[in-house]
Amino acid sequence: MHVGNLICATILVCIASSATADDAAAERCPKLPANSGFTWTYQRGPDFGVCYAGKAGDSTQVIGVYAGFAPDFQPDPKKIIRRGKIGTDDVQWYRKQTMDKQFKVGAETLYSRGQAINHIWVLAQDEQSLSALISLSESLTFANAK
């Protein structure tokens, strides 16, 4: 009987942790368009958060968003691949070097909201998918957006 209670308690903690993680992602990550098919997972750092969006069962495309005050990305004007907009703000997308062999192409940009700086990156298998991910990223809705 005691072991049964322990197992039930463990299961409840796991369910609560999962719900808490989903709540944290819903609260801290930008809003995705409803029809995107992507969902967020959230990881908290000491003074920042990182959101990862992907489609269930599809590990060939990912969107990442670092929200904090000191992103580890310095734009290189030689690597600009396209200009875009997030909300009413202009952004420039830069070629991202992919470190993971799973992804063949990537792009990244910086987007400031208030005091926070968002480093947004997208990774894909090909240029067409990359372009679609950039467009999807440009339709994200950030808290405190204009």
Side-chain angles (χ1 to χ4, degrees):
M1 183 80 164
H2 184 267
V3 172
N5 288 340
L6 183 60
I7 291 171
C8 286
T10 302
I11 291 171
L12 289 174
V13 166
C14 289
I15 291 169
S17 295
S18 175
T20 302
D22 290 344
D23 291 345
E27 185 178 308
R28 293 185 172 97
C29 296
K31 304 296 179 237
L32 289 157
N35 62 351
S36 71
F38 282 73
T39 56
W40 290 115
T41 57
Y42 177 76
Q43 292 181 333
R44 183 178 178 180
D47 62 349
F48 61 89
V50 181
C51 300
Y52 297 97
K55 288 184 177 182
D58 180 3
S59 61
T60 63
Q61 305 178 76
V62 69
I63 299 170
V65 178
Y66 160 95
F69 304 102
D72 188 22
F73 167 58
Q74 300 299 317
D76 179 350
K78 296 176 201 155
K79 294 184 178 182
I80 192 167
I81 56 173
R82 91 185 213 191
R83 299 180 192 287
K85 280 191 175 292
I86 298 177
T88 59
D89 298 313
D90 293 328
V91 295
Q92 295 180 353
W93 288 93
Y94 301 86
R95 181 67 56 195
K96 178 173 178 53
Q97 180 68 40
T98 58
M99 301 295 185
D100 187 335
K101 293 180 183 188
Q102 177 180 354
F103 303 106
K104 304 220 182 335
V105 292
E108 57 192 332
T109 192
L110 293 176
Y111 176 65
S112 297
R113 296 295 337 139
Q115 293 181 346
I117 301 170
N118 297 285
H119 172 205
I120 305 166
W121 65 94
V122 293
L123 301 169
Q125 291 293 308
D126 55 57
E127 292 294 332
Q128 183 176 357
S129 297
L130 184 69
S131 181
L133 284 176
I134 290 172
S135 294
L136 177 59
S137 297
E138 290 177 349
S139 67
L140 297 174
T141 303
F142 288 80
N144 302 321
K146 296 178 185 175

